[in-house]
Amino acid sequence: RYFFSLLSILLFALTLGATTNAQARTIPVNIKSTPPGATVYLDATTVNPIGTTPIKRVRIERGSHTLIFKLDGYQEARLPINVRRWNETFDITLKPMATISIAAGNEAATGSVVRVDGENVGAVPYKGLTQPGRHLIQIGKEGHKTFSQWVDLAGGQVLTLPVMLEKMAPDT
């Protein structure tokens, strides 16, 4: 009976020590994003997210990591961090994507193929997100002249483009 009591105390002490040791390696931190509502991953997006910003007192193992932020309408962002202090706050401002909206200016344009930088992205009418920067927009349909236009888009910008297609002259 004495042996079982001693064994129980020993097992309890070992369990408590393992829990305390595991918690000693992790530190509670806070994570914020502007705008809030971003899903946050730790070191890789192939693992479960650690939460949605703002996140308070999430325990992360001490040392160097990368926080990965994902939010619809914004560019994916990565923030290298070094977890050292309790209740440290890691903060990032997310950059908005640009929006391209293409409408048919005439009946011929409806259903035409939309390409951005040579890649087929859909059909007219079209609305989609893209990285800010310079892009080539092309709208085409068999038997019609291809519409082409270079655009420079800023983050958060919405480009609305009504497109009219002209029939090609018949080959003679």
Side-chain angles (χ1 to χ4, degrees):
R1 192 167 133 145
Y2 173 75
F3 175 74
F4 288 114
S5 295
L6 186 59
L7 184 60
S8 297
I9 292 171
L10 181 62
L11 286 174
F12 177 74
L14 287 173
T15 304
L16 182 62
T19 303
T20 305
N21 190 24
Q23 285 188 342
R25 291 189 313 251
T26 62
I27 297 175
V29 298
N30 305 305
I31 303 169
K32 298 184 339 185
S33 70
T34 303
T39 302
V40 181
Y41 298 84
L42 183 65
D43 296 322
T45 56
T46 56
V47 297
N48 289 332
I50 59 174
T52 302
T53 59
I55 303 171
K56 294 187 181 231
R57 299 185 53 79
V58 64
R59 296 189 76 89
I60 297 178
E61 193 169 315
R62 180 184 303 271
S64 297
H65 297 280
T66 301
L67 295 176
I68 304 164
F69 297 79
K70 288 188 173 192
L71 180 62
D72 286 343
Y74 291 83
Q75 297 176 43
E76 180 181 300
R78 293 174 180 263
L79 180 65
I81 62 169
N82 190 3
V83 177
R84 296 180 302 222
R85 295 186 312 264
W86 281 57
N87 291 323
E88 191 170 7
T89 298
F90 299 104
D91 194 358
I92 193 166
T93 299
L94 301 175
K95 295 178 183 175
M97 299 283 280
T99 302
I100 297 173
S101 179
I102 300 174
N106 63 2
E107 193 174 319
T110 301
S112 298
V113 174
V114 177
R115 290 188 309 273
V116 177
D117 299 325
E119 183 179 328
N120 185 343
V121 294
V124 176
Y126 169 79
K127 187 172 186 175
L129 297 173
T130 190
Q131 296 285 335
R134 186 167 170 80
H135 298 281
L136 174 61
I137 298 174
Q138 297 173 302
I139 291 91
K141 187 177 198 176
E142 194 171 318
H144 294 79
K145 293 180 183 176
T146 299
F147 171 91
S148 294
Q149 183 173 334
W150 282 97
V151 295
D152 287 306
L153 301 174
Q157 178 181 355
V158 177
L159 171 71
T160 302
L161 197 59
V163 174
M164 294 177 55
L165 292 184
E166 297 177 32
K167 277 194 176 258
M168 293 175 75
D171 289 337
T172 55

